[in-house]
Amino acid sequence: METKKFKTYSLTEMKDKYIGEIGTTNRDEYEYELRMDVLGKMIKSARQERHLTQEELGKLIGVQKAQISKLESSANSATIDTILKVFKALKAEINFNVKLEDNFVKLI
């Protein structure tokens, strides 16, 4: 009995094929959304580690519980100022890296 061999693909190959290659609009949008989703999950995790409810965190930074919920589900509509306020209220350090061509600019 013959065994059928399946071709395997890397995640990058699948993204290239179904989303678009790096540098295309679709791929850039996908990668951005993914990063914002991860950022939202990090905020939620830090909040839970500090034993705060969404309402309590909201009060610390002057927003409603609904805004914290929205931020945790995806941070793509949040301003950098809001994100910085959230992490400051959580007593968590956050670093941004900005890449200009081949040089990184680090914002702390």
Side-chain angles (χ1 to χ4, degrees):
M1 180 176 208
E2 271 186 61
T3 1
K4 191 172 184 176
K5 292 188 179 187
F6 292 97
K7 173 144 174 52
T8 58
Y9 297 93
S10 70
L11 179 57
T12 301
E13 290 172 321
M14 295 300 289
K15 286 180 186 180
D16 287 349
K17 182 175 180 178
Y18 293 103
I19 299 167
E21 293 185 8
I22 293 173
T24 61
T25 302
N26 281 349
R27 181 67 171 266
D28 288 347
E29 288 173 1
Y30 168 81
E31 297 293 343
Y32 175 79
E33 290 289 328
L34 184 60
R35 285 189 297 274
M36 293 301 103
D37 186 53
V38 169
L39 183 58
K41 287 182 184 353
M42 290 169 52
I43 290 168
K44 182 176 183 176
S45 177
R47 176 183 60 77
Q48 290 173 332
E49 194 171 305
R50 297 286 190 243
H51 305 288
L52 293 171
T53 65
Q54 289 177 338
E55 186 173 354
E56 291 168 331
L57 178 57
K59 284 180 183 176
L60 287 174
I61 64 167
V63 300
Q64 299 294 315
K65 174 188 179 230
Q67 289 174 276
I68 299 299
S69 177
K70 186 176 177 183
L71 182 63
E72 289 180 354
S73 64
S74 178
N76 69 355
S77 63
T79 65
I80 290 176
D81 185 51
T82 300
I83 292 168
L84 292 174
K85 283 180 185 178
V86 166
F87 280 107
K88 184 176 182 181
L90 292 169
K91 296 180 176 74
E93 184 179 314
I94 183 169
N95 297 299
F96 291 96
N97 289 316
V98 178
K99 186 175 181 186
L100 302 173
E101 294 182 12
D102 291 330
N103 300 313
F104 279 97
V105 177
K106 194 167 190 176
L107 305 173
I108 298 176

